[in-house]
Amino acid sequence: MSAQVRRVIRILVMLSNGERLSTTELIQRLDSQHDEVSVTKRQLQRDLRAMEDAGIPLDVYEDGKTPRYGIPRYYQSLVSTSIDRYELLALYSLKGVLSAMKHTRIERDLTSLRSKLNALVPGELFLRSDITTEVSPGRYMNAIDDRTMTQIVDAIIDPHWDRVTYRSAAHPEGHTFVVSFCRLLNHAGRLYVAAWHPRYRTYITLAVDAIVCVERANDVSDPLHEFHELSYVKSRFGVYSGDVETIVLSIKPEAVRFFRNREWHPTQQFTEHDDGHGTLTMSVPLSPELLSWILGWADSIRVVAPAALIELCKKKIAEVESW
């Protein structure tokens, strides 16, 4: 392929997204895309004429004294989309995420989208039996009422107050209260919704399959709360929330690299010591999920503080030993 053909293809890709570029801008972008000698203004003019000779319509827009070149909108849709290697990886990743929705009530709706993605990125990059397919909302969606799901989605897109009836261990028959739904989240194979509780002025997390009823609370006139994702995430470990405490964990030398390179919580701080050990500090609630996480890594970490967390771990270990 000649140097001019390569330049013409690059110019076509640049202008196919609707941009209007001057000769100087075109030369700068061409120079940044390859290691050949710098493109001259005369070469660029020949390239633009070659495009017109090939039947590619070029529009010239006057921007003061600087002419800018562009491709008419009707022609842009005929030019193939340019995708770099990172965007390609993102598309394959998207296909993998779609596979996590198998056996859900929206699987049929996603089939056409996946077929369109296959046209752009044929084949597979990730395992079909990815772990996400084993811990996806699909294991729970059959238990979720369609009307409830629709109401939750509508409330997130168009924020308003809803009156919710919710089943929990404390209220197996259902407990009714007012919330503002904020975001959906998938955790350990179960679908949850983050919501703002106006009475307690805090975020709560509800399992969607435990919601019995949702009705719009038109009688509530309180100002709606603006969702802050970082505030929501900081106040919990997993889906559990509670009073936040600073915990300190000592990490064995052989596990330092693993723990250092993982993001466990937005508040985490990691310190490596001269003796090879590491210290992981986080501000999190002392939740059942935190306890399970710590005990799952019992061969690699030791709880340094707080004392209350140490006692909780001892109590849980004693319960397991007594079974």
Side-chain angles (χ1 to χ4, degrees):
M1 184 184 296
S2 70
Q4 184 182 33
V5 172
R6 286 197 297 270
R7 290 197 305 271
V8 167
I9 292 174
R10 289 176 179 136
I11 294 170
L12 182 59
V13 170
M14 290 179 205
L15 300 181
S16 65
N17 63 3
E19 284 192 273
R20 299 174 181 179
L21 301 175
S22 66
T23 53
T24 301
E25 290 168 336
L26 284 168
I27 290 172
Q28 288 174 343
R29 295 199 187 186
L30 287 170
D31 287 345
S32 67
Q33 290 183 5
H34 59 88
D35 299 325
E36 300 173 8
V37 294
S38 179
V39 178
T40 66
K41 189 173 182 179
R42 180 172 294 181
Q43 284 176 316
L44 179 63
Q45 292 296 339
R46 286 200 294 264
D47 295 340
L48 294 173
R49 283 197 298 271
M51 291 174 64
E52 290 182 307
D53 291 342
I56 300 171
L58 279 178
D59 286 339
V60 181
Y61 305 89
E62 294 296 333
D63 182 10
K65 295 183 179 180
T66 304
R68 292 183 173 275
Y69 298 90
I71 294 177
R73 186 176 298 275
Y74 71 85
Y75 192 84
Q76 292 170 18
S77 61
L78 303 178
V79 181
S80 298
T81 302
S82 174
I83 300 174
D84 64 30
R85 68 183 65 182
Y86 299 107
E87 292 170 330
L88 189 65
L89 178 60
L91 284 171
Y92 275 114
S93 300
L94 178 57
K95 286 175 64 176
V97 171
L98 293 181
S99 67
M101 304 304 294
K102 288 180 179 178
H103 312 303
T104 73
R105 64 183 180 84
I106 63 172
E107 180 180 12
R108 184 181 302 174
D109 301 320
L110 293 174
T111 301
S112 61
L113 176 58
R114 186 174 173 84
S115 66
K116 292 175 182 177
L117 284 175
N118 279 331
L120 287 173
V121 283
E124 300 292 337
L125 187 65
F126 294 94
L127 287 174
R128 287 182 179 272
S129 57
D130 187 81
I131 190 171
T132 57
T133 64
E134 303 302 321
V135 288
S136 74
R139 297 174 59 189
Y140 291 87
M141 288 290 274
N142 289 337
I144 299 173
D145 179 71
D146 280 1
R147 182 172 181 270
T148 297
M149 194 68 207
T150 300
Q151 289 171 314
I152 292 172
V153 172
D154 288 345
I156 294 173
I157 296 173
D158 180 20
H160 56 261
W161 296 111
D162 281 291
R163 189 165 279 106
V164 177
T165 301
Y166 186 74
R167 280 194 297 260
S168 63
H171 302 278
E173 299 302 319
H175 173 56
T176 302
F177 48 91
V178 172
V179 297
S180 171
F181 292 120
C182 302
R183 295 291 188 275
L184 286 167
L185 59 144
N186 172 32
H187 180 73
R190 198 175 192 184
L191 192 63
Y192 294 86
V193 59
W196 176 257
H197 197 304
R199 180 178 178 183
Y200 300 116
R201 300 192 60 78
T202 189
Y203 292 113
I204 61 174
T205 306
L206 306 175
V208 176
D209 58 279
I211 295 176
V212 179
C213 179
V214 178
E215 297 293 341
R216 189 157 182 158
N218 293 319
D219 57 316
V220 179
S221 58
D222 294 356
L224 286 167
H225 175 78
E226 183 179 353
F227 179 65
H228 297 282
E229 184 168 338
L230 187 58
S231 298
Y232 170 78
V233 174
K234 279 185 174 181
S235 65
R236 63 205 62 244
F237 191 88
V239 298
Y240 289 94
S241 60
D243 295 332
V244 173
E245 295 194 39
T246 299
I247 69 167
V248 182
L249 306 174
S250 178
I251 313 298
K252 288 184 177 180
E254 57 268 26
V256 162
R257 182 179 178 183
F258 177 80
F259 277 83
R260 180 192 61 208
N261 293 332
R262 293 288 296 272
E263 182 178 349
W264 305 101
H265 195 264
T267 63
Q268 72 184 44
Q269 293 183 341
F270 196 89
T271 304
E272 293 186 57
H273 304 287
D274 293 338
D275 63 357
H277 284 77
T279 299
L280 177 63
T281 304
M282 299 185 289
S283 296
V284 295
L286 304 187
S287 64
E289 203 161 11
L290 174 68
L291 193 61
S292 297
W293 178 77
I294 289 174
L295 294 178
W297 292 103
D299 59 340
S300 300
I301 64 179
R302 178 176 62 86
V303 179
V304 178
L309 181 56
I310 296 174
E311 290 304 315
L312 285 173
C313 290
K314 289 180 178 179
K315 182 179 178 181
K316 179 58 68 175
I317 292 172
E319 289 177 357
V320 173
E321 290 177 342
S322 66
W323 286 353

